């Protein structure tokens, strides 16, 4: 025989359940997961860089309180949504290529190569350009897409807690080329800067006319910025981008909008 529960117990349970569900709904967040593959030396498809980025939507007024305050003083309101950086990772494949060169007036070849490396020193920013509610019944009025802007960034970046940090303030240790006995001795040339993607092995090796040297490897993601739209029905977009016609560099990207903080392709070479 089942024991009846007092009415007040049931009432309390219902009230607690109501507030529990309400709190969960209020705390729900919208995440954006980006997967980008870059071909760095087409038509050779072996040289690639991959990046995986997770962002979360954040109210612009909270991200820019000073600007919001100025807007309020003049009777306005700072609206909009920006992307806060959650985490990022990148990986590049080992790659080697040759180009025609001239040494002492004779035809020759120059050689450029780098080793594979992965990084968690990756930074990006973005924003939601327009987010308009769907009006009308499905099939009667075309849905209006959510437009967004996304790109890699080494200037100040917004955190999910609303604070800002300067990526360039992080330590960026560089020791120069490591010379191994029995191999051509390398010198280090050029300046080394903090980048949007900082690989532990940030060397690009060169061989030409009997000389060997190393320069900083510069990630092609420094040039990756997009403005695109995600359909109102469906939470992802797939696209491609080249720097210019005939460029050796091409990007293929996938962006997914979801309530899950888990990147579906985290560190997976899936596109």
């Amino acid at each position: 025989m089942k024991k009846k529960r007092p009415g007040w117990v049931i009432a309390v349970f219902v009230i607690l359940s109501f507030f529990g569900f309400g709190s969960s709904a209020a705390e729900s967040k919208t995440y954006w997961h980006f997967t980008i593959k870059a071909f760095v030396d087409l038509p050779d498809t072996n040289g690639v860089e991959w990046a995986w980025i997770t962002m979360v939507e954040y109210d612009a007024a909270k991200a820019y309180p000073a600007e919001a305050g100025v807007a309020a003083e003049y009777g306005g309101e700072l609206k909009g949504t920006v992307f806060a950086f959650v985490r990022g990772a990148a990986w590049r494949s080992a790659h080697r290529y040759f180009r025609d060169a001239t040494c002492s007036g004779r035809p020759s070849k120059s050689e450029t190569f780098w080793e594979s490396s992965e990084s968690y020193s990756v930074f990006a920013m973005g924003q939601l350009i327009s987010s308009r509610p769907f009006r009308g019944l499905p099939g009667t009025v075309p849905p209006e897409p959510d437009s967004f802007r996304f790109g890699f960034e080494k200037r100040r970046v917004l955190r999910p807690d609303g604070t800002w940090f300067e990526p360039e303030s992080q330590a960026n240790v560089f020791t120069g080329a490591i010379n191994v006995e029995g191999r051509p001795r390398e010198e280090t040339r050029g300046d080394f800067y903090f980048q949007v993607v900082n690989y532990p092995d940030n060397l690009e090796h060169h061989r030409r006319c009997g000389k060997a040297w190393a320069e900083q490897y510069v990630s092609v993601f420094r040039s990756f910025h997009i403005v695109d739209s995600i359909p109102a029905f469906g939470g992802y977009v797939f696209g491609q981008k080249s720097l210019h016609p005939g460029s050796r560099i091409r990007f293929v990207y996938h962006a997914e909008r979801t309530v899950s903080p888990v990147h579906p392709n985290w560190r997976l070479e899936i596109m």
Side-chain angles (χ1 to χ4, degrees), residues 130-141:
S130 63
S131 180
R132 303 175 183 177
F134 175 74
R135 299 182 183 279
L137 298 175
T140 60
V141 179

Side-chain angles (χ1 to χ4, degrees), residues 115 178-186 207 212:
E115 306 298 337
I178 299 176
N179 293 293
V180 180
E181 186 175 355
R183 296 183 182 179
R185 182 173 182 82
E186 289 183 305
R207 305 282 187 269

Side-chain angles (χ1 to χ4, degrees), residues 4-5 18-19 50 52 65 80 83 85 98 156 184 195 200 216 218 231 245 254 269:
K4 289 187 176 181
R5 298 180 184 273
F18 174 80
F19 282 107
W50 284 85
W52 303 270
F83 294 160
F85 178 81
F98 298 87
R156 69 173 192 153
Q195 299 189 64
Q216 183 180 27
V218 181
H254 178 274
E269 297 173 21

Side-chain angles (χ1 to χ4, degrees), residues 70-85:
V70 173
E73 289 180 8
Y74 289 90
E77 180 181 0
L78 181 62
K79 296 183 179 181
T81 301
V82 295
F83 294 160
F85 178 81

Side-chain angles (χ1 to χ4, degrees), residues 137-190:
L137 298 175
T140 60
V141 179
E144 298 184 46
D146 287 340
S147 299
F148 66 92
R149 178 181 288 111
F150 170 84
F152 291 84
E153 180 63 76
K154 67 177 182 179
R155 292 175 295 182
R156 69 173 192 153
V157 172
L158 178 67
R159 291 190 177 103
D161 63 1
T163 60
W164 294 82
F165 74 102
E166 298 283 348
E168 290 183 287
S169 66
Q170 294 195 348
N172 187 31
V173 179
F174 170 67
T175 57
I178 299 176
N179 293 293
V180 180
E181 186 175 355
R183 296 183 182 179
R185 182 173 182 82
E186 289 183 305
E187 63 175 297
T188 301
R189 295 184 181 180

Side-chain angles (χ1 to χ4, degrees), residues 17-271:
S17 299
F18 174 80
F19 282 107
F21 291 133
S23 175
S24 176
E27 294 175 359
S28 64
K29 299 178 181 179
T30 301
Y31 293 87
W32 292 65
H33 304 294
F34 295 89
T35 304
I36 308 104
K37 180 180 184 180
F39 296 96
V40 303
D41 185 33
L42 291 175
D44 186 344
T45 58
N46 294 315
V48 296
E49 280 191 75
W50 284 85
W52 303 270
I53 308 290
T54 292
M55 316 286 282
V56 63
E57 292 186 8
Y58 198 87
D59 184 67
K62 294 181 179 179
Y64 303 98
E67 291 82 350
V70 173
E73 289 180 8
Y74 289 90
E77 180 181 0
L78 181 62
K79 296 183 179 181
T81 301
V82 295
F83 294 160
F85 178 81
V86 178
R87 65 174 179 167
W91 177 83
R92 76 171 187 221
S93 67
H95 187 57
R96 185 183 305 266
Y97 64 85
F98 298 87
R99 299 283 188 266
D100 292 331
T102 301
C103 295
S104 301
R106 297 180 179 180
S108 181
K109 292 285 185 180
S110 67
E111 178 185 9
T112 301
F113 67 95
W114 52 82
E115 306 298 337
S116 64
S117 189
E118 64 179 336
S119 174
Y120 291 95
S121 179
V122 182
F123 306 98
M125 278 289 288
Q127 68 180 110
L128 199 61
I129 301 175
S130 63
S131 180
R132 303 175 183 177
F134 175 74
R135 299 182 183 279
L137 298 175
T140 60
V141 179
E144 298 184 46
D146 287 340
S147 299
F148 66 92
R149 178 181 288 111
F150 170 84
F152 291 84
E153 180 63 76
K154 67 177 182 179
R155 292 175 295 182
R156 69 173 192 153
V157 172
L158 178 67
R159 291 190 177 103
D161 63 1
T163 60
W164 294 82
F165 74 102
E166 298 283 348
E168 290 183 287
S169 66
Q170 294 195 348
N172 187 31
V173 179
F174 170 67
T175 57
I178 299 176
N179 293 293
V180 180
E181 186 175 355
R183 296 183 182 179
R185 182 173 182 82
E186 289 183 305
E187 63 175 297
T188 301
R189 295 184 181 180
D191 296 322
F192 284 70
Y193 301 98
F194 190 86
Q195 299 189 64
V196 296
V197 176
N198 301 278
Y199 292 105
D201 177 358
N202 64 347
L203 294 178
E204 179 179 287
H205 306 272
H206 297 266
R207 305 282 187 269
R208 181 175 179 178
C209 300
K211 296 182 179 180
W213 71 93
E215 301 175 358
Q216 183 180 27
Y217 178 88
V218 181
S219 170
V220 297
F221 288 129
R222 73 191 188 281
S223 304
F224 182 78
H225 295 85
I226 56 171
V227 175
D228 210 328
S229 300
I230 285 188
F233 298 122
Y236 69 91
V237 63
F238 176 85
Q240 298 187 44
K241 175 186 176 182
S242 293
L243 293 183
H244 54 77
S247 172
R248 291 181 177 270
I249 300 173
R250 181 178 300 162
F251 302 98
V252 182
Y253 60 91
H254 178 274
E256 181 171 337
R257 178 182 55 190
T258 174
V259 295
S260 172
V262 180
H263 195 302
N265 300 323
W266 181 250
R267 296 188 63 206
L268 298 177
E269 297 173 21
I270 298 175
M271 184 62 66

